[in-house]
Amino acid sequence: MINFNQKKGFICDMDGVIYHGNKVLPGVKEFINWLQQENKEYLFLTNNSGMTPKELQQKLERMGLDVAEEHFYTSALATAEFLKTQAPGCSVYAIGEAGLLNALYDAGITMNDVNPDYVVVGEGRTYSLDTLTKAVNLVLNGARLIGANSDLSGPIENGIAPACRALIAPIEMATGKKAYFCGKPNPLMMRTGLRMLGCHSEDAVIIGDRMDTDIIAGTESGIDTVLVLSGVSSKETPGRFAYQPTVILGGVGDIVTAAKEEVKLV
C-alpha cells in the first residue's frame, strides 16, 4: 500500500479519472478538497492536447470544482516545449484543437502547410481525409512526424473515442515513418511534472486509468502508481502487462478513504 498522507506531490490524469466527457466522477470533489485541505502539491497531467489549461480550469469549474489554472499541464504544452528545445523557431503543419495550436504559437512556432519542419498531430475535429492526405505528403517530402501523445483511445460519456495514436497510425502506415510522441509516458513530460510540483519522485504518486501511459510512466520514473478503475481499465487489465501498479483502487475517492484510515491507525 501507499501512505498517501506522507506523499507531498500528486500527479493526476483527467479523462477517466476526474471525468468522463462532461460528467464528473464519484469521489472527485472529496479528493480535490482533501488535496487542498492537506496542502498537498498537485498537478493534473493530461494527454488531452485539445484544451488549454484555462479551458480545463473552466471545465472543472462548470462541474463545481475549484482548481487554479497553474495546476494543469497538457501533452500539447509538452509537445511545444520539445519542439522549442529541438528546433527553436521551426514551422509545423498541425492537426489539432486550440490547446495544441495555442501551445505551439506561444512557443514561437509558426504554421506552414507548404514545407514545414514537422507535422504535428493531436486529437481534434479538424482531422479529415484532406488533412490526413496533406500530412502524408508533407512527411514524404521530409517533414518529421510528431504525435502529442500515444493514447489509442479515451473514455467519453457514452463509450470511447479514438485518440492521437489511432489518428496518427494511418500517416505512419502510408509513409513508413514512425512518429515521436511527447506526452505520457515520455519521461520528459514526467520530469516537467515533478519540477512543477517541486518534489522528488519518491515523494510523489501518479494516479491514472491507463496501464500503457500513466502506470508505465510512474514505474519508469520511480514514482508510486495508483491505477483507478473509473476509466478504461478493469481489474483484469493489469494481468496483460509485465509491470504492475503499486495499488489498484476504484476511483480517486478511495485515496481519501485510505488516507483517513491511515490517520486512525496512527
Side-chain angles (χ1 to χ4, degrees), residues 119-122 127 132 136 145-151 163-175 177-181:
V119 167
V120 180
V121 180
Y127 187 92
L132 178 63
V136 165
L145 185 58
I146 299 289
N149 64 75
S150 58
D151 288 4
C164 184
R165 184 71 181 85
L167 300 179
I168 210 168
I171 303 173
E172 292 181 315
M173 295 172 69
T175 63
K177 304 289 179 66
K178 290 293 182 184
Y180 179 77
F181 297 98

Side-chain angles (χ1 to χ4, degrees), residues 15 19-24 59 63 154-161:
D15 295 292
Y19 52 66
H20 284 176
N22 292 306
K23 179 183 177 184
V24 68
K59 178 172 182 172
M63 296 177 180
I156 55 177
E157 288 181 66
N158 56 350
I160 63 168

